[in-house]
Amino acid sequence: MDQKNENDVGRLYLCATPIGNLGDITFRVLETLRQADLIAAEDTRHTIHLLNHFDIHTPMTSYHEYNKVDKARYLVGLLKEGKQIALVTDAGTPGISDPGEELVRQCCEAGIAVTSLPGPAACVTALTMSGLATRRFCFEAFLPPDKKERRWILEELKRETRTIIIYEAPHHLISMLQELADVLGMDRRLALCRELTKRYEEADRATIGETLERLAREEPRGEYVLVIEGRRIGDIRREEQSSWEELSLEEHMALYLDRGMDRKEAMKQVAKDRGVSKRDVYRELL
């Protein structure tokens, strides 16, 4: 932990904690948890087991989804007084799909330094062992419970070419996979990951359809990370080409003009789509 003078403002430390295997905690996180003035924990009853295991006796306070705004203001006040605060979530990296995002936002607005101590994150752990493309990915965490909002997000993901990462609880897993099958198709590949870093760690690689068949025989257990193959760019291009062939030249131009392209750029893209010169497009439009 950084040294400070008496008049210094404190610093917020985002401390990544194990997602299963306690051996994954870093020396730097342990040192910070010991030296901090206060630990803000998503669930103090959960975090006390971690602290007891490593013989850490720093005071704790609860910071969770239901008090995140008001409690963040309180913690910012302590930081302004010079307190050093370590933030931990139940498992993984604070700020990733948890209330820590709000505290970080308020600290940044107040000019308080925030340091992130890297460590475990279920989304990255699952991605790297999925066997799917890792260069480009999008993280959706838990999808919203509202049906219309969920459907809107899923429809948006239908054309997503990056690898997709979603979290899901066991009692919602099958219905989630059925929704994915409706939107993405039964043949879309995915890695269904559970018990990450633990003894019975599993990454089941199959299609959505095959996974649903398996889960019809096996009850889902544990928290899941779904790593889903993105849409192949070639498939999108073939689809678009098929739709272009059904459009008149004027309709094809309108397609790009409606997307905000100027006339020159739209003409250039139409020519590229149709495999003709821009001059030919210009002449035909005239």
Side-chain angles (χ1 to χ4, degrees), residues 156-170:
E156 190 178 47
L157 293 176
K158 190 173 184 178
R159 291 176 59 82
E160 179 59 70
T161 58
R162 295 171 294 178
T163 301
I164 304 161
I165 305 171
I166 296 175
Y167 289 164
E168 191 52 273

Side-chain angles (χ1 to χ4, degrees), residues 170-187:
H171 52 288
H172 289 144
L173 179 63
I174 291 176
S175 60
M176 156 64 78
L177 286 167
Q178 288 168 341
E179 285 183 274
L180 288 172
D182 289 343
V183 177
L184 306 181
M186 286 285 200
D187 294 332

Side-chain angles (χ1 to χ4, degrees), residues 4-13 36-41 58-63 70-86 103 106-107 110 112-113:
K4 67 182 183 70
N5 300 318
E6 284 188 10
N7 296 326
D8 282 348
V9 171
R11 182 184 294 260
L12 177 67
Y13 295 85
D37 296 305
L38 182 67
I39 296 172
T58 305
M60 275 195 295
T61 188
S62 63
Y63 178 77
D70 292 337
K71 193 61 173 282
R73 293 193 191 104
Y74 169 74
L75 293 173
V76 167
L78 294 180
L79 288 159
K80 286 180 176 179
E81 293 172 6
K83 299 295 185 184
Q84 307 283 12
I85 298 178
L103 179 55
Q106 289 196 29
C107 283
I112 292 167

